[in-house]
Each structure stands twice: as structure tokens, then as C-alpha cells.
């Protein structure tokens, strides 16, 4: 009994789909190889899986060379089949752009003072007017630039003067504050009245002007008495020996 005809539709089962893809991919690569060997044909096969994995086969040494050959054969025929009118219009546009470019180059050389021999007197006058207008515009731009810089510098100068003025005012306030504190301190101390009061407070005491530090008066009197004793009795005390 023969196999039934397989209906071509997407396989819903993921595992069966992967198994079928692997089998048919290997079979397709095998058929491409057999075709290239049996028929001496240049075969290139490219397969991408649903996950983006690449499988390829090329009978030649390089896949890029085969793709370049395919591109030349596919798109070269399209270029050859273009109508002649389109090519003629493109060529005329090219000639027009080329002439304009050469004219601009000649004008630039003339503005730089080169190749002025072929010009007529009217052309030279027109060139002179163009140069004068360009020079006037350049000078005006330069003057405006210098004026802008001058205005910016004046603004900076004004800001610096304001900052200097504010600093001067603050410095004067601090100086006057310190002077006020100094004068107030002198008035609170009162040097002259205090000196007079100290003279009235300290009074002279009645005492022996001889400075005796650590000297006992009773011991001194005993020593004086003892010193006079030998003069009377002719006896020297033991502490003098």
C-alpha cells in the first residue's frame, strides 16, 4: 500500500517541525551537491531557519563571487534595458552642472586676482564693484564684532566697579565698627580717674624700711640680747662656737 499524499501546510507540533526541517534541509543540501557534481553547475544554496540560523552550500570556492555573478546577471540587464531618453537627459544635466562648476571656478580665480587678461573693461568694473561690496560687508562685520566685544568689556567693567564699590562700603562699615568698639573700650576702662583713685587708695604704711624676708623679729631680739651678753660677762654662747 503506497503512502498517502502529504498536505503542504505548517506543522503545528514544534518537535515534528524541527525534525522535518532537519531531514528536508539535509536532503536539499545533498541534492544541490549532486546537481553541481553531476551537471558541472555552479550552485549556491542559502537557508535560514525560523530561529535565524544560516545554512549554506556553494559549489564554487566563494559564496561572494557567486552572489556577485548573480547580481550582475540580474541588475545588469535592467541597466541595459533603460530607455535612451533617460540617459540623454542625465547626460545633459551632467553637462549643465559641469559648466556651472567651471564658471564658479573661473569667478573664484578672478576674485583672487587671477586670469584677469581675458576679461573686458565692463567685466573688470563689475568685478571691482563686487570686490568693493564684499570688502564693505567684511568691514561692517568686523566693526560689529569689535563693537560687541567693546560692549561686553564695558559690561564687565561696570560689574567690577559695582563689586569694588560694594566691597569699599563693607570695608568702611567694618572700620567704623572697629573704631567704635575701640573708643567704647577706652571710655569703659577710664585710665586717668582710675589712676587718681589708686593714688588715694594706696597709703604709706609706718614700718621699718629695711626689707626682711623670712626674718623673725623675736629671734632677732634674742640674738641682739645674746650678742650683748659676752660684752658684759665675757661669755660666748655655745651656738657661736
Amino acid at each position: 500500500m503506497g503512502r498517502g499524499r502529504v498536505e503542504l501546510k505548517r506543522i503545528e507540533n514544534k518537535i515534528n517541525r524541527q525534525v522535518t526541517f532537519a531531514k528536508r534541509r539535509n536532503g536539499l543540501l545533498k541534492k544541490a551537491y549532486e546537481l553541481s557534481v553531476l551537471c558541472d553547475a555552479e550552485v549556491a544554496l542559502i537557508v535560514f531557519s525560523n530561529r535565524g540560523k544560516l545554512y549554506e552550500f556553494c559549489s564554487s570556492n566563494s559564496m561572494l563571487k557567486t552572489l556577485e555573478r548573480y547580481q550582475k546577471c540580474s541588475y545588469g540587464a535592467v541597466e541595459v534595458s533603460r530607455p535612451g531618453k533617460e540617459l540623454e537627459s542625465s547626460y545633459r544635466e551632467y553637462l549643465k552642472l559641469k559648466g556651472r562648476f567651471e564658471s564658479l571656478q573661473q569667478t573664484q580665480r578672478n576674485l583672487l586676482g587671477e586670469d584677469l587678461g581675458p576679461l573686458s573693461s565692463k567685466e573688470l568694473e563689475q568685478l571691482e564693484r563686487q570686490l568693493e561690496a564684499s570688502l564693505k560687508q567684511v568691514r561692517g562685520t568686523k566693526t560689529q564684532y569689535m563693537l560687541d566685544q567693546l560692549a561686553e568689556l564695558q559690561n564687565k567693567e561696570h560689574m567690577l566697579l559695582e563689586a569694588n564699590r560694594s566691597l569699599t562700603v563693607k570695608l568702611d562699615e567694618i572700620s567704623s565698627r572697629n573704631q567704635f568698639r575701640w573708643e567704647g573700650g577706652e571710655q569703659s576702662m577710664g585710665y586717668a580717674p582710675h589712676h587718681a583713685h589708686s593714688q588715694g587708695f594706696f597709703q604709706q604704711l609706718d614700718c621699718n624700711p629695711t626689707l626682711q624676708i623670712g626674718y623673725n623679729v623675736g629671734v632677732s631680739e634674742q640674738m641682739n640680747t645674746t650678742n650683748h651678753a659676752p660684752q658684759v660677762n665675757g661669755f660666748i654662747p655655745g651656738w657661736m662656737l
Side-chain angles (χ1 to χ4, degrees):
M1 184 176 180
R3 296 177 58 186
R5 186 175 181 181
V6 179
E7 184 180 2
L8 294 178
K9 66 177 184 179
R10 183 177 182 273
I11 302 175
E12 300 297 335
N13 192 329
K14 184 177 180 180
I15 298 176
N16 294 337
R17 186 169 63 246
Q18 291 178 355
V19 173
T20 303
F21 174 76
K23 290 181 179 180
R24 291 183 178 262
R25 180 200 65 206
N26 294 333
L28 184 61
L29 294 174
K30 182 179 179 181
K31 291 294 184 181
Y33 171 72
E34 292 175 354
L35 179 63
S36 64
V37 173
L38 295 175
C39 301
D40 194 17
E42 185 177 355
V43 180
L45 178 63
I46 299 175
V47 179
F48 287 98
S49 66
N50 58 351
R51 296 182 179 179
K53 190 174 181 180
L54 172 64
Y55 301 92
E56 63 178 1
F57 168 77
C58 184
S59 61
S60 63
N61 296 328
S62 176
M63 175 68 78
L64 295 177
K65 291 182 180 180
T66 305
L67 292 176
E68 288 177 358
R69 183 178 178 183
Y70 167 76
Q71 188 175 6
K72 289 179 181 179
C73 293
S74 298
Y75 297 99
V78 177
E79 292 180 358
V80 172
S81 61
R82 287 182 179 178
K85 292 183 179 179
E86 184 177 357
L87 294 176
E88 289 180 1
S89 63
S90 299
Y91 183 70
R92 285 196 298 269
E93 186 70 20
Y94 164 73
L95 292 178
K96 186 185 296 183
L97 293 175
K98 183 179 179 182
R100 185 176 180 183
F101 175 73
E102 291 177 353
S103 176
L104 291 175
Q105 280 188 334
Q106 182 65 30
T107 304
Q108 183 179 7
R109 286 194 296 269
N110 293 334
L111 291 174
L112 294 176
E114 300 176 357
D115 298 340
L116 298 178
L119 298 179
S120 62
S121 60
K122 292 183 179 180
E123 292 176 346
L124 290 174
E125 290 178 359
Q126 183 179 1
L127 180 62
E128 184 179 2
R129 287 194 296 269
Q130 290 180 357
L131 290 175
E132 289 178 355
S134 301
L135 183 60
K136 185 183 296 184
Q137 185 176 1
V138 170
R139 288 177 177 174
T141 305
K142 181 181 178 181
T143 304
Q144 185 63 36
Y145 178 74
M146 294 177 66
L147 291 175
D148 294 339
Q149 283 189 336
L150 181 60
E152 185 178 358
L153 291 176
Q154 288 178 352
N155 292 331
K156 289 183 179 180
E157 182 183 6
H158 181 69
M159 293 173 61
L160 292 175
L161 289 175
E162 291 294 333
N164 189 12
R165 189 177 295 107
S166 62
L167 290 175
T168 304
V169 171
K170 290 182 180 180
L171 183 61
D172 293 338
E173 291 178 357
I174 293 172
S175 300
S176 61
R177 193 180 305 157
N178 292 335
Q179 185 68 23
F180 177 75
R181 290 179 180 178
W182 178 257
E183 292 177 355
E186 290 182 351
Q187 292 178 2
S188 62
M189 291 176 65
Y191 290 103
H194 181 72
H195 181 67
H197 179 71
S198 62
Q199 290 180 358
F201 177 77
F202 293 101
Q203 298 179 1
Q204 186 176 2
L205 299 178
D206 295 334
C207 62
N208 190 2
T210 304
L211 180 60
Q212 296 179 355
I213 299 176
Y215 185 78
N216 195 347
V217 179
V219 175
S220 177
E221 291 177 357
Q222 184 180 1
M223 289 176 61
N224 292 330
T225 307
T226 309
N227 290 330
H228 291 289
Q231 296 177 2
V232 177
N233 300 327
F235 177 76
I236 300 176
W239 63 270
M240 294 182 65
L241 297 176

